[in-house]
Amino acid sequence: MRTTRRRITNSRPLRTGALLPARELAVAWSLLVVIAALAWLLTVGQARDMGVEPGTMGMALPLFLLLWLAMMAAMMLPSVAPVALTWVRGIARQSSGAARAVRTAEFLCGYLLAWTAFGMLAYGGLALTGALVDRDPEAARWIGAAAFALAGLYQLGPLKDICLRHCRSPMAQLMRYAAYRPRLRDLRVGLHHGAYCVGCCWALMVVLIPLGVMNIAAMAGVAALIFLEKLSYRGPQLARVAGVAFLVLSVLALFQDWPLPGLEGSMTPM
């Protein structure tokens, strides 16, 4: 019974079309699309000025976190939209339109706060890999291979499966959130769901170390993979295929002389 239930959960991602009236659904989706589009414009503009190079690209932690927040809004909001809209539907009976907008914004702030916390770890990892490459350029291939191997192994592991199942079908957890105390409830709900999302997708962010944190093509590819993993009926299978592909890239990074933009010593302009 448990195996059957898991298969059903994995094959049926959360759908919002049946949970919201058409007008409310269109307005909510439009707002999230506008926010994500603005975040992409900001990120692309910054990437053109900065280029792609190892490490933190000379940024201090506060500036890096601001840019990281824009990147996460661009990459993650399309895939979290169904959960955000479902939460809107859950609170719609208790709030006016303006209050729903504020509470939904609070949910998204909590969600992005979880990714900002991970951004501090990402900053440390980039600083470390940048220092290693500056000290020994030959270390680049080993760092790249390790990053791809870590991502590949995690994609095939049980923790990825648990977090992905939550992100694809969070209805049971959303029902539990209703028992939270009203004070900052929406922020805590967004933070809690964001923690699951970080657990699901952090390894995909690791591949940006060899590919380049400001590599727009790599960012778009990772964002598309995240979107399909969470919203496609074949999402779990796609996650495993990506894991195998990352392991292959890990081997190629060791034995093939191919460029790793995020670990090259000189700046690569976008």
Side-chain angles (χ1 to χ4, degrees), residues 125-242:
L126 288 170
L128 176 61
T129 56
L132 291 174
V133 171
D134 288 341
R135 186 182 308 168
D136 181 12
E138 291 299 321
R141 66 170 59 191
W142 294 98
I143 296 173
F148 285 126
L150 177 62
L153 292 174
Y154 189 81
Q155 286 286 109
L156 300 174
L159 187 56
K160 167 74 177 191
D161 184 59
I162 292 171
C163 294
L164 181 58
R165 277 190 281 125
H166 172 90
C167 291
R168 288 170 59 83
S169 300
M171 286 301 298
Q173 191 65 40
L174 290 179
M175 295 294 291
R176 292 182 60 188
Y177 292 150
Y180 280 17
R181 293 181 179 180
R183 184 177 179 83
L184 297 178
R185 179 177 65 175
D186 306 297
L187 181 69
R188 288 182 289 144
V189 170
L191 181 61
H192 191 274
H193 181 72
Y196 270 101
C197 190
V198 171
C200 176
C201 304
W202 70 268
L204 296 176
M205 301 301 170
V206 171
V207 302
L208 294 179
I209 292 178
L211 297 179
V213 174
M214 299 304 297
N215 186 333
I216 298 300
M219 288 172 53
V222 171
L225 177 58
I226 291 171
F227 184 87
L228 292 174
E229 280 187 359
K230 293 184 178 181
L231 300 182
S232 170
Y233 281 100
R234 298 295 182 183
Q237 292 87 343
L238 180 60
R240 289 188 282 273
V241 170

Side-chain angles (χ1 to χ4, degrees), residues 68-69 72-73 76-77 107-117 190 194:
W68 178 265
L69 182 61
M72 293 304 101
M76 306 305 299
L77 285 187
F107 171 90
L108 293 177
C109 286
Y111 177 83
L112 292 175
L113 182 61
W115 275 107
T116 302

